[in-house]
Amino acid sequence: DMRKFLADANPGAQEKAVEAFKAFAENYDPFKYDVRDVLKTLIDKAIAPGKPAIKKLANEAICSVFEKGGSMFITDAIVDCLNHKNQKTVCAAVQVILELLQNQKLKGFNSLKPFLPHIEKLAASNTSTTRTEALGFYKEAYRFVGRALQGSISKLKKTQQDELQAHFNSTNDSTNNDKMEIEGDKSQQKNSSQTQPKSSENNNID
């Protein structure tokens, strides 16, 4: 059973197991294998403990499963882990969603809809680490889906809404400034090219 090896307490053995699953994922056929439980183990035992090398391999494996058409298995595994009793596993599940966004596997607001009710519950958690992780999710996700995310924070506490809205506004201002700088550079380059003298045969030095 692959799950047994992925959960190995020995870091060296576990890393080899994750590497083996990554190789499997790169040639994965979602019509042949239901990897839901394996992915849950991967999030719980390989990503949650936070060992960088193992975590990186695990995220790469999940991205490969997504690319091969296993997105529904990933969604189910993440949702289960978002409701896990272990807070480290919950936070790991949030990190996996963001990893998929950053790697452009999840695209647009609709791709986040299965997770949002669960993230909302996490924002109301009694555990400060979990609340921080949930708010971090909204802040990072806003970079990718923009204003469409604003409606999903309406049920959060007022202080949380204010914090997120301030962050969203700051992100918008930063994006607008970047656009203005790019447009200014283009305009400057255009004006510069127009004021330069045209070359002619008379300007050539033999």
Side-chain angles (χ1 to χ4, degrees):
D1 187 342
M2 176 64 75
R3 289 174 295 173
K4 174 183 168 186
F5 297 108
L6 291 173
D8 199 309
N10 181 308
Q14 186 186 41
E15 185 170 345
K16 287 181 181 177
V18 177
E19 282 178 346
F21 179 70
K22 181 173 176 280
F24 165 81
E26 287 167 354
N27 298 287
Y28 169 64
D29 182 348
F31 295 103
K32 287 185 178 178
Y33 303 102
D34 181 338
V35 291
R36 231 172 255 135
D37 290 338
V38 176
L39 292 170
K40 282 192 280 185
T41 302
L42 199 66
I43 296 169
D44 181 30
K45 301 298 184 184
I47 295 177
K51 294 182 178 67
I54 295 175
K55 188 174 176 180
K56 182 174 181 290
L57 284 170
N59 277 313
E60 288 172 353
I62 290 172
C63 284
S64 291
V65 171
F66 194 100
E67 288 168 3
K68 296 297 181 181
S71 60
M72 67 175 180
F73 298 140
I74 293 173
T75 298
D76 288 349
I78 290 173
V79 167
D80 278 356
C81 289
L82 286 173
N83 293 286
H84 202 281
K85 60 185 179 182
N86 184 325
Q87 295 304 307
K88 284 188 176 180
T89 302
V90 171
C91 292
V94 175
Q95 291 161 16
V96 170
I97 302 170
L98 294 177
E99 189 76 21
L100 289 167
L101 267 175
Q102 289 160 1
N103 285 283
Q104 298 185 327
K105 306 307 174 194
L106 294 174
K107 295 179 182 179
F109 177 71
N110 287 341
S111 68
L112 297 179
K113 280 185 176 180
F115 313 116
L116 293 177
H118 307 281
I119 300 290
E120 185 182 297
K121 286 180 185 176
L122 298 182
S125 170
N126 293 325
T127 308
S128 61
T129 306
T130 305
R131 291 197 304 273
T132 300
E133 196 73 39
L135 292 185
F137 164 84
Y138 288 114
K139 291 174 182 178
E140 184 66 13
Y142 189 82
R143 291 178 51 222
F144 296 92
V145 302
R147 289 186 172 89
L149 193 65
Q150 286 181 309
S152 65
I153 69 170
S154 61
K155 294 181 181 177
L156 302 185
K157 291 179 181 176
K158 180 68 166 56
T159 53
Q160 293 176 324
Q161 289 187 48
D162 291 344
E163 178 184 339
L164 290 174
Q165 194 58 59
H167 179 84
F168 295 165
N169 292 340
S170 172
T171 302
N172 292 338
D173 291 342
S174 175
T175 302
N176 290 336
N177 288 338
D178 289 344
K179 285 180 180 177
M180 287 172 68
E181 283 182 16
I182 292 168
E183 287 169 2
D185 288 344
K186 285 181 180 177
S187 177
Q188 192 173 14
Q189 288 171 3
K190 184 179 179 182
N191 291 336
S192 176
S193 66
Q194 287 174 346
T195 56
Q196 286 179 358
K198 293 181 180 179
S199 63
S200 67
E201 290 181 1
N202 294 334
N203 291 330
N204 293 337
I205 298 174
D206 292 334

